[in-house]
Amino acid sequence: MVIQYKCPNCGSDMTFDSQTGTLSCSNCGRQDNIENFSDEFKETVFETDEAKEYHCNNCGAVIVTESETTATTCSFCGAAVVLGDRVSGILAPSLVIPFTINKKEAEQAFKKWCRKGLLTPRGFMSADRIKKITGIYVPFWLYDLKNDAKVSATATRVRTYSRGDYIYTETKYYDVYRDIRIDFNRVPVDASEKMNDELMDKLEPYHYRDFKDFKTPYLAGYIAEKYNYDDKELFPRVKEKMSKPLDQYIRSTIHGYNSVTYKNKDIRTKNAKSLYALLPVWMVYYDYDKSEHIFAMNGQTGKVVGKPPLSLGKISAWFGGIAVGSFLLMRTVSFFLTGGGFF
């Protein structure tokens, strides 16, 4: 099933406009609220199961995609298409955060980010080697987690005091027990096999106030993926992801001691609810020094993550500056300590 959205005025293809949040026609300028857009202008073609092919409604060309793709553009005429059977039924997302940053804004934000790289090569900082910028709706599972933690520990308080010519150290030991219930809501974990988990984690946070109930027009004009892993398969990863914040919270409840040694931690985590959502990501592919560097940008906030190349010359100069600064500081301190003479 191929879905395309046609302008009620001129019949041209419409795409989602990240600046206005509407379904927009680039030909005549018409803009429609997605919530109120009539299915009358949604052009749908159903494909046969045997063919396993999708065809563009505009030019009839075969749309070649990977099995995970749910929205793309026709390679021949550039029309925005949504593969409806891949975002319906059990495969339909519950929520979507629409893009609020368009392609031009994403490119400008990336160039600005590059210029802040104090230790990157001068050629990289010019940001003039952008190979491709692609807007992708990445599939995520959002988990509501309920954690029950039973913790026992030994804590100490140490006091040092003097009597006469003697200094005494007094150590008191305490048994500490905590029975804690802590919940985490809507913890995101990307469900795409293609996406680098570390990059996707670093794109957080997303502002959940912008969540919308999923509707296919939001995908028009962008690439979208469906999940490779279901919520059960990714449950171990979300537990691992939240283990550090959970441990930090437990530690925050035990204070006023000089030391704390855990004797036992029994933490049980349950998935209360999981939602399938699409979050906006700009993928930036950048050529530098005969190799491709990949960066990701949060399509809602503009946050950029990735590992830029480093200039060995700038690093050497930076550390050299620190060394010289430290040496001058030591000599200045020595000057005053010795009454004005360097040693």
Side-chain angles (χ1 to χ4, degrees):
M1 179 172 61
V2 176
I3 299 174
Q4 290 174 255
Y5 294 91
K6 299 297 182 180
C7 176
N9 283 353
C10 65
S12 298
D13 290 315
M14 303 183 79
T15 58
F16 176 72
D17 185 343
S18 62
Q19 290 186 310
T20 63
T22 63
L23 204 55
S24 177
C25 175
S26 60
N27 185 51
C28 70
R30 178 185 173 112
Q31 295 179 335
D32 282 276
N33 186 296
I34 287 177
E35 300 297 325
N36 302 325
F37 192 76
S38 174
D39 284 346
E40 175 186 352
F41 301 104
K42 180 174 73 174
E43 188 170 296
T44 307
V45 174
F46 293 90
E47 309 290 333
T48 62
D49 290 338
E50 292 79 7
K52 298 294 183 183
E53 292 180 347
Y54 296 91
H55 293 83
C56 176
N57 299 340
N58 283 2
C59 66
V62 174
I63 300 171
V64 180
T65 70
E66 297 183 4
S67 59
E68 296 84 12
T69 303
T70 59
T72 185
T73 57
C74 175
S75 301
F76 289 87
C77 70
V81 297
V82 178
L83 308 181
D85 56 328
R86 298 183 181 180
V87 286
S88 60
I90 61 173
L91 298 177
S94 298
L95 300 168
V96 59
I97 293 181
F99 277 87
T100 58
I101 297 173
N102 62 33
K103 188 172 184 177
K104 184 177 181 181
E105 292 170 334
E107 184 174 348
Q108 291 172 344
F110 177 73
K111 289 181 178 180
K112 184 178 180 180
W113 179 79
C114 287
R115 287 193 289 270
K116 293 180 179 179
L118 298 179
L119 299 180
T120 57
R122 185 176 301 275
F124 179 84
M125 292 172 64
S126 66
D128 59 357
R129 295 181 175 86
I130 296 175
K131 181 179 179 181
K132 183 172 63 172
I133 297 182
T134 305
I136 302 176
Y137 280 106
V138 178
F140 278 76
W141 286 105
L142 307 177
Y143 292 88
D144 288 351
L145 302 177
K146 294 187 179 297
N147 303 278
D148 291 303
K150 292 180 172 57
V151 178
S152 58
T154 299
T156 64
R157 287 197 181 113
V158 180
R159 182 171 72 98
T160 301
Y161 59 95
S162 60
R163 285 183 181 173
D165 295 332
Y166 296 95
I167 297 176
Y168 297 89
T169 298
E170 177 187 83
T171 302
K172 293 184 178 181
Y173 292 86
Y174 301 86
D175 288 326
V176 178
Y177 182 77
R178 294 289 185 270
D179 189 347
I180 299 171
R181 171 70 176 272
I182 177 172
D183 298 339
F184 298 121
N185 294 323
R186 294 193 173 182
V187 181
V189 175
D190 78 276
S192 172
E193 189 175 34
K194 298 176 185 176
M195 296 299 164
N196 181 287
D197 293 341
E198 183 180 1
L199 280 183
M200 295 300 104
D201 286 347
K202 288 182 178 179
L203 285 177
E204 297 175 31
Y206 285 87
H207 302 314
Y208 287 177
R209 63 176 179 268
D210 290 338
F211 263 129
K212 307 288 186 183
D213 290 336
F214 175 75
K215 292 183 183 296
T216 54
Y218 288 116
L219 308 186
Y222 295 89
I223 292 175
E225 301 283 316
K226 70 179 179 67
Y227 62 84
N228 296 101
Y229 307 104
D230 63 29
D231 54 339
K232 292 181 181 178
E233 291 174 304
L234 289 181
F235 184 60
R237 188 164 112 71
V238 74
K239 284 179 62 177
E240 179 184 358
K241 180 178 180 178
M242 299 310 295
S243 61
K244 184 176 180 180
L246 181 58
D247 185 64
Q248 289 174 337
Y249 178 79
I250 293 172
R251 286 180 178 273
S252 72
T253 68
I254 306 174
H255 48 79
Y257 301 99
N258 294 97
S259 69
V260 177
T261 303
Y262 291 102
K263 295 189 292 185
N264 183 59
K265 278 186 183 180
D266 182 16
I267 300 175
R268 300 185 181 184
T269 302
K270 294 182 180 180
N271 179 19
K273 183 172 68 174
S274 50
L275 293 173
Y276 175 28
L278 297 179
L279 302 184
V281 176
W282 285 104
M283 296 301 297
V284 183
Y285 304 89
Y286 192 88
D287 281 337
Y288 181 77
D289 197 20
K290 299 180 181 180
S291 60
E292 184 180 79
H293 301 265
I294 299 176
F295 302 87
M297 178 186 295
N298 185 314
Q300 181 196 40
T301 67
K303 181 181 181 180
V304 180
V305 298
K307 295 181 180 179
L310 298 178
S311 167
L312 294 179
K314 286 187 177 182
I315 293 174
S316 298
W318 187 73
F319 279 107
I322 292 177
V324 171
S326 299
F327 176 72
L328 292 176
L329 177 62
M330 291 175 63
R331 288 179 61 84
T332 301
V333 171
S334 172
F335 179 85
F336 286 106
L337 292 178
T338 57
F342 288 116
F343 62 97

